[in-house]
Amino acid sequence: MRWALVKVCLAVTAMVVVAFAVPLGLVVKEMARDRAFSNAERQAATIGPTLSITTDPGQLRKAVESTQMGAAQRMSVHVPPIGGATAVEIGAGWAGPDAVEETRRQGRAMIVPLARGGSALLQPTALGSGDIAVVEIFVPESEVSNGVGTAWVVLAGVGLALVVGSVAVADRLGARLVQPAERLAEAAHQLGEGRLGARVPEGGPKELRSAAVAFNSMADQVVELLANERELAADLSHRLRTPLTVLRLNTASLGDGPAAEQTRAAVEQLEREVDTIIRTAREQRAPAAGGAGAGAGCDASEVIRDRMAFWSALAEDEGREVRLAGVDRTVRIPVARPELAAALDALLGNVFRHTPEGTPFAVDVHDAGDAVIVLVSDGGPGIDDPDAALRRGNDGARDGSTGLGLDIVRRVAEGTGGDLRIGRSVLGGTEVRLWIALDGRARGGSGGGRERRGRRKRRGVRMGRRERAGEGGRAPGGNRGERAVSEDARPPGAG
């Protein structure tokens, strides 16, 4: 906008300068010409009294030489034959006899351009005898254009000064208009990135002040709506405490055994998740994306061993071969333990839900220095459309799947600047790669685009980051792919 205003002002000023400077320059040129020939006419008139008294060549020559033009050899006198005497010619003629005769015949002054440059002024003068003599004055071109060049330079300088001044004024006015607009755009970007405290100073022109007031009002309403949503999520989660209490009391009567212990562990995990939802929803501000504090990290190896111990019992019941690698040493990551546990439960729950019984799977952990890579591979039928599986809410119209699990995993990765990708595993099925960045820098390629989309999805919906739902995008295989994990064996967060 600023440069557009400058360009418009530049164009308008240039047109105004051309419209006035060019005609003014032409007027100056015409005035210089008129001045030169008016001076020539005055010089020609000085010899008129002498011609009215005498036509003697000697007297006329002395009179011509006493004038300014005669002394400069720029005056000639042409006297016609009088009473049988010969014609008198004093000085060098420039216009020629034809022009002299034409002037004498017309009885008025003539200006004749000369081929060698300059012009000749032919002024008729009446003699005492009634005849007409012609006084010729040579006017050089330099005298006709005297001062015109200087006038053009002055006009050009004035025009340039006007253009520069108008551009400077337009730039200042444009800055006054653009700066409030830039502040408004910057505040909009900040609000879009999740910084809910972004506000716009209410300054500038009236229209931009109104826009700033409207933006600030909108931002206040967004903050209020998010606060209401958090309170609503907390209230709804709090209502789950009563049925959870009943479930916990009922599990006490199940006695001993793997199934009973598994059920009690699931109920305890569900209670912890509900508490986490309530605490998160009641926070006054959402945690910044990718900004896990120093105490918010965990040991990935320890969390993976813990969750694999939970899932191994179900894997043994279904005859699945399990391989675990890379968890024999401490691997610190900037992800809270509950979030990593939820992501692992979502990935492993997918394996059990969407692959036939007896399908092997593996979990590998790699420390790449600037990132930690968690690979979950299986020997199932694989995923036909990995991109569709990563889209939030895409459940493929399968029973028991909400299409949110992989989105939970993806947000965990992108919260650190990493990404989530799906490919083919060495076991023949699906390989889900969870890339957790340690330095907070987003990775390039397709992950970078998903990271930006993930940040947009995370804004204002922190209260929902603990959803526990089925995963979308797995291609069902066998009878195991068509049924959900049994209620007594499904872990919290599996989907």
Side-chain angles (χ1 to χ4, degrees), residues 12-99:
V12 172
T13 307
M15 288 189 293
V16 170
V17 168
V18 170
F20 283 92
V22 172
L24 188 57
L26 296 177
V27 168
V28 170
K29 181 179 180 181
E30 189 65 24
M31 290 176 62
R33 183 176 184 276
D34 293 342
R35 183 175 61 249
F37 286 106
S38 296
N39 183 53
E41 289 179 356
R42 287 194 302 270
Q43 294 294 325
T46 59
I47 200 67
T50 304
L51 288 172
S52 63
I53 297 173
T54 180
T55 59
D56 179 67
Q59 297 295 327
L60 289 178
R61 183 170 285 105
K62 290 179 180 180
V64 168
E65 291 176 353
S66 65
T67 63
Q68 179 182 355
M69 292 297 178
Q73 297 183 352
R74 290 170 52 188
M75 178 184 289
S76 298
V77 178
H78 307 281
V79 179
I82 300 174
T86 60
V88 177
E89 297 288 339
I90 299 175
W94 295 277
D98 294 338

Side-chain angles (χ1 to χ4, degrees), residues 283-301:
E283 290 179 353
Q284 292 301 315
R285 63 181 181 89
C298 67
D299 179 7
S301 298

Side-chain angles (χ1 to χ4, degrees), residues 349-431:
N350 267 358
V351 174
F352 282 86
R353 174 167 295 161
H354 301 300
T355 60
E357 294 185 8
T359 301
F361 68 94
V363 178
D364 299 283
V365 180
H366 302 277
D367 188 353
D370 61 343
V372 173
I373 305 172
V374 179
L375 299 177
V376 177
S377 310
D378 63 59
I383 296 178
D384 296 331
D385 190 351
D387 292 335
L390 290 174
R391 288 198 292 269
R392 179 178 175 85
N394 182 44
D395 58 2
R398 293 192 302 274
D399 294 335
S401 176
T402 62
L404 300 178
L406 285 179
D407 187 69
I408 293 174
V409 181
R410 179 181 57 79
R411 285 186 289 165
V412 169
E414 292 180 348
T416 67
D419 64 8
L420 178 69
R421 296 188 183 182
I422 299 177
R424 301 294 296 185
S425 72
V426 295
L427 299 179
T430 301
E431 178 185 85

Side-chain angles (χ1 to χ4, degrees), residues 53-402:
I53 297 173
T54 180
T55 59
D56 179 67
Q59 297 295 327
L60 289 178
R61 183 170 285 105
K62 290 179 180 180
V64 168
E65 291 176 353
S66 65
T67 63
Q68 179 182 355
M69 292 297 178
Q73 297 183 352
R74 290 170 52 188
M75 178 184 289
S76 298
V77 178
H78 307 281
V79 179
I82 300 174
T86 60
V88 177
E89 297 288 339
I90 299 175
W94 295 277
D98 294 338
V100 171
E101 290 299 324
E102 180 67 20
T103 302
R104 186 176 290 126
R105 184 181 64 80
Q106 292 185 3
R108 59 184 179 84
M110 291 181 57
I111 297 175
V112 180
L114 302 178
R116 63 178 185 177
S119 302
L121 173 68
L122 301 176
Q123 179 70 40
T125 302
L127 299 177
S129 61
D131 294 315
I132 302 297
V134 177
V135 179
E136 183 178 1
I137 304 295
F138 173 68
V139 181
E141 188 65 30
S142 59
E143 188 171 327
V144 173
S145 61
N146 183 30
V148 175
T150 303
W152 276 105
V153 171
V154 172
L155 289 175
V158 172
L160 182 61
L162 289 175
V163 171
V164 172
S166 65
V167 168
V169 172
D171 182 69
R172 291 298 87 203
L173 292 177
R176 184 173 178 269
L177 293 175
V178 169
Q179 287 176 356
E182 290 178 345
R183 290 196 296 265
L184 181 61
E186 179 63 22
H189 285 304
Q190 292 179 2
L191 187 64
E193 291 173 356
R195 286 177 274 183
L196 303 181
R199 295 297 183 272
V200 184
E202 298 173 4
K206 178 180 177 181
E207 294 78 7
L208 292 177
R209 287 200 304 269
S210 299
V213 170
F215 177 86
N216 293 338
S217 176
M218 178 196 68
D220 293 338
Q221 291 186 13
V222 169
V223 172
E224 183 178 355
L225 288 174
L226 289 178
N228 293 336
E229 289 293 330
R230 286 195 296 267
E231 290 299 324
L232 178 60
D235 294 342
L236 293 177
S237 301
H238 194 273
R239 296 180 186 180
L240 297 176
R241 288 185 180 276
T242 299
L244 282 175
T245 302
V246 176
L247 286 175
R248 182 167 52 81
L249 294 175
N250 289 339
T251 56
S253 62
L254 294 179
D256 299 328
E261 292 298 329
Q262 209 172 47
T263 302
R264 281 191 284 268
V267 172
E268 291 176 359
Q269 176 70 14
L270 187 56
E271 285 183 328
R272 289 194 297 269
E273 295 298 338
V274 170
D275 291 340
T276 301
I277 293 175
I278 294 174
R279 287 194 303 270
T280 303
R282 288 283 167 84
E283 290 179 353
Q284 292 301 315
R285 63 181 181 89
C298 67
D299 179 7
S301 298
E302 190 272 332
V303 176
I304 293 174
R305 288 195 302 267
D306 177 71
R307 300 317 301 158
M308 286 299 293
F310 178 89
W311 288 97
S312 295
L314 183 59
E316 184 178 354
D317 292 342
E318 295 186 356
R320 297 176 182 267
E321 180 183 351
V322 181
R323 182 175 65 85
L324 180 62
V327 295
D328 53 347
R329 60 189 182 88
T330 300
V331 179
R332 299 292 302 181
I333 60 174
V335 178
R337 178 188 177 91
E339 294 186 9
L340 180 60
L344 290 171
D345 287 340
L347 293 176
L348 296 174
N350 267 358
V351 174
F352 282 86
R353 174 167 295 161
H354 301 300
T355 60
E357 294 185 8
T359 301
F361 68 94
V363 178
D364 299 283
V365 180
H366 302 277
D367 188 353
D370 61 343
V372 173
I373 305 172
V374 179
L375 299 177
V376 177
S377 310
D378 63 59
I383 296 178
D384 296 331
D385 190 351
D387 292 335
L390 290 174
R391 288 198 292 269
R392 179 178 175 85
N394 182 44
D395 58 2
R398 293 192 302 274
D399 294 335
S401 176
T402 62

